[in-house]
Amino acid sequence: MSGDTLLLFHAGAALAAADRQIQRGRVRDGPGAGVRAAVAGAYADLWACERLARAGDVRESAAVVDRYLAPRILLDAADGLATVWGDRLGDDSGPAADYRHHVRRLAALAAVPGATARLRDVAARIPALATGDDRLAHPLTAVPATALKAPLDRLVRALEDEHRAVLRAASALLPEPGDARGRAPNDDPGLWALTDRYALLAMAAACLDGWRTPSSPQRRRPPGDDIACLTGELARITTGLGLTTGVTGKSWYGRVYALASSGQAEATAGARLPRGEFARAVK
């Protein structure tokens, strides 16, 4: 079974355990803002990593980014779900124990073969970006930002500006005529920073490439649901890139939290595993 499948399974299962805990402790006004934000963020990240995995099935450049970025994104999101339990996180049974199990499995998957090795694989894509042989040599989406409704228009505009800046920086790393080496050595911190920016933009491109179609046959969302997930994930990516867009969680938390609470994460997690693999995955 692929690492992608297991990562997505354990991330979805951790999110489902958080939802079960929320349902157990339901209060009149619902969970607090911090819990809703953590759950909505984890669901948006799961949605985005599914898109990136799909892109990786057809493009090696996306597969390389997926191997580097998905373990980090999914583990960080799952760690953030700890806020759901508060001081009950150490419970020996029930959703807390299930959650800890799946986070441990995520952490183990994220450790192989190591973040540094995966980062170097992504860095090796930078010359192809500069020479036009890469998905990110083209605009993130064929739809102009001016044709999109708010707040997607602001998010796409900011990402396209960042995309152009990354293209310029990648071009600066091309070898000088007659020089087989790049202008930046492999241990240059600037190269690693550029690589991380490239990876986040590649995830944004994967989200924008396929957001109009379901992630899998098991998940059939109305178009508005995918727009909410797209908005949420692009907002998270722009934050990760340090971009200022003015888009806040109020634009997407509520809709995405409702999706996360509808049982879709748990259903998708189970549906991803071939028959007979589910029992082995949960042990």
Side-chain angles (χ1 to χ4, degrees):
M1 183 186 305
S2 73
D4 276 342
T5 301
L6 283 173
L7 278 167
L8 292 168
F9 168 76
H10 289 296
L15 181 55
D19 183 52
R20 290 197 301 275
Q21 178 66 19
I22 291 170
Q23 301 308 318
R24 275 186 169 192
R26 183 177 292 278
V27 296
R28 181 175 179 179
D29 296 326
V35 167
R36 292 196 299 272
V39 170
Y43 189 86
D45 285 346
L46 179 62
W47 179 90
C49 287
E50 288 177 333
R51 300 287 168 172
L52 187 57
R54 284 183 61 188
D57 289 339
V58 295
R59 291 197 308 272
E60 177 58 22
S61 61
V64 169
V65 171
D66 183 33
R67 288 191 291 270
Y68 163 64
L69 202 54
R72 187 183 87 189
I73 293 286
L74 293 174
L75 181 58
D76 285 352
D79 279 342
L81 293 171
T83 189
V84 169
W85 281 271
D87 59 5
R88 300 298 303 274
L89 184 60
D91 286 359
D92 292 333
S93 61
D98 291 342
Y99 164 79
R100 294 196 310 273
H101 164 76
H102 291 295
V103 171
R104 285 195 300 268
R105 296 295 296 272
L106 275 174
L109 289 166
V112 179
T116 300
R118 294 192 297 265
L119 180 61
R120 289 184 182 279
D121 289 342
V122 179
R125 294 294 313 172
I126 299 299
L129 172 61
T131 57
D133 186 23
D134 190 273
R135 165 65 181 85
L136 287 189
H138 310 283
L140 297 180
T141 176
V143 181
T146 53
L148 296 170
K149 294 182 179 180
L152 274 178
D153 58 344
R154 282 178 282 165
L155 294 168
V156 169
R157 189 176 295 111
L159 287 167
E160 289 289 16
D161 287 345
E162 174 71 1
H163 175 224
R164 286 188 286 271
V166 166
L167 283 173
R168 290 193 297 270
S171 296
L173 295 178
L174 284 175
E176 296 282 7
D179 184 357
R181 300 168 301 171
R183 297 182 193 172
N186 284 339
D187 59 353
D188 184 346
L191 174 61
W192 303 132
L194 177 62
T195 299
D196 201 59
R197 291 163 68 196
Y198 164 85
L200 288 168
L201 286 170
M203 172 172 270
C207 293
L208 286 161
D209 280 343
W211 66 273
R212 294 178 184 274
T213 57
S215 296
S216 68
Q218 294 82 19
R219 182 172 294 189
R220 301 293 184 188
R221 299 187 192 86
D225 292 348
D226 275 326
I227 291 173
C229 290
L230 177 66
T231 301
E233 189 56 32
L234 293 189
R236 288 170 74 77
I237 290 172
T238 55
T239 297
L241 288 166
L243 307 179
T244 301
T245 64
V247 177
T248 67
K250 291 181 180 180
S251 301
W252 61 276
Y253 279 173
R255 185 70 172 270
V256 178
Y257 176 79
L259 289 171
S261 302
S262 68
Q264 290 193 47
E266 187 169 24
T268 301
R272 284 192 166 276
L273 293 175
R275 183 172 297 178
E277 293 288 348
F278 181 84
R280 285 192 286 274
V282 298
K283 288 181 180 178

